Each structure stands twice: as C-alpha cells, then as structure tokens.
Amino acid sequence: SCTNPLVQPGFDLADDIHTVRIRASDPGGNAQVSGAYSLTIDTTRPVVQSVAPAGTTTSNSPQIVVTFNNDDLNNTTLGNPAFAGSAQNSANYTLVGDGADNVFGTGDDRNIDLSNSTFAYDVGADRLTITLMNAGAAPIQLPNDSYRLTINATTSVQDIAGNSIQGSSDFVHPFVVAVPPPRAISVRSEGTRKVIQRVIIAFSGPMDRATADADSNYELRDAGKDKKFDTGDDKIIALAQAGCSTPFGDCTEVVVQALRGFSRKRPVRLT
C-alpha cells in the first residue's frame, strides 16, 4: 500500500494560489476524492516603491516611511525563529550621514543608531514606518546632512514566503535634511515706564537648548550718551540670565534678563 504518495506536476507552477484535490483508489476499485487544499506559490521578491523623505526635506521629522508593493512582509517579533528577515528587525537597516566633509565612508560619517527605534509595519497599506528613537526613548531629530537609508542585502527584509527584498546588492535610498535655522519673528520688552528689565524674543522654530541657555551667546549694548553704536561711550549691560523661557519642551522663545535694567531713553542693541 502507498500511504505517502509523491505527486509531481509536469510543469512549474506559476506564482498564485492553487487548489489541489487528490483522488485515491484501492485495488478493489474503491475511489475517493479529497477536499480542496490551498497551495500558495510565491517566488517574487518584495519591491520598495517609495521612501519618504526623498530628495531634500526642510523638516527633521523623526519618521521614515517605506512603502512596498503588494507583498505581505515578514512581520515577526523578537524571539520568533523567522525574526532575522522581519521588517521589525533593526539589524536589517542602516542610516548614515556623510558628515562635515560631505563624503560617505570617511571618519566623520554620522551613524544613526537604530537599535532603539520602532519599526511598525502596516499590512493593509504595505507600509513600514520607522520612528527614530534614542536610548532614552526620545525622538531623534536628524541634523542637517546628506543621508543614506540602506536595507542590507545580507540580512534583508523578507516576505512571508521567505523571498528577500534584495538580491545581491543593498537597497540604498539617499535624502538630504536641510532645515533652515530659526529666525526671530517678534521682539518685545517688559519693565516699567522708564526702565526695561528684560527682552523676549520669539523664534520661527525650535532652538538648540544648550546654546540658547548659554548667557555668553547674548550681548545687550547701550549706545551711550551720543546714541550711536560702536563709539567710545558704548556700555555693555550686565545680564542676570538669558535662555529659553520654559525648562522643558521646544525652545521657541528666549528671555534676556538684565541685571539692573536699562533706560528706555537710549538705543539698546541685542546680539
């Protein structure tokens, strides 16, 4: 008797969902047809259709979005035997900036650590969203630079059939982050009718908190009795403190506090 028959079609099955039925009979002429079995053949590699950001972006959003063709990816989590080819495996990706010399592969390259980032794959949309995070679970705002996002060929993302996204070469996506520096959009003063005690400057975007909180980056200069700057009677106004108006969150407003205040009668320059 044959309990484990081997059936070989005379041709290669095309990529598709195939239906298989088996008819079996014994020497006595008794025969029976099995129910339908579904067999999926998938030998097609997944394809990246688009990546955002692309070209030059003026936003340093912490997210990178990769859209694939209609091919469900391996979306297993850490601990699963198939995790090596998972879209959630950070080892399948690298993100590098070319650094100050504008050349990739030199000592000043900016390597972005992806090990703490999140990789969320939307099966319905065939879309992977990478949210860049640091070790403290805070979003990474990419500094201005030229970048390459690479999906590695050797440890590549796979679909659920095990087809790698790339063949023998990496998938490389270049983009440039060029966020314009914040600019002052308003300046106001506070104090009494005769004396200004502090100056508040609002900016168009977030300032670097470390530099914004450094008193040495600010100068208040009184034009002196002749009311002209950069002459012999100019006076530097002592500062009590200067820096971001709030201790947390984005620094979009800076307060410069004079130690004793200064007169409204003469011109004053804030640098």
Side-chain angles (χ1 to χ4, degrees), residues 66 68 71-73 75 87 119-129:
V66 185
F68 300 88
D71 194 344
D72 292 342
L73 297 184
N75 196 34
F119 295 77
Y121 177 61
D122 184 327
V123 177
D126 297 297
R127 182 174 60 236
L128 174 69
T129 300

Side-chain angles (χ1 to χ4, degrees), residues 50-108:
S50 66
V51 181
T56 299
T57 177
T58 56
S59 168
N60 56 359
S61 167
Q63 289 191 331
I64 298 174
V65 179
V66 185
T67 303
F68 300 88
N69 64 326
N70 186 21
D71 194 344
D72 292 342
L73 297 184
N74 172 353
N75 196 34
T76 54
T77 56
L78 182 64
N80 188 292
F83 183 67
S86 174
Q88 296 190 45
N89 186 356
S90 63
N92 290 326
Y93 312 86
T94 57
L95 180 61
V96 180
D98 63 8
D101 65 0
N102 299 319
V103 178
F104 286 101
T106 57
D108 71 341

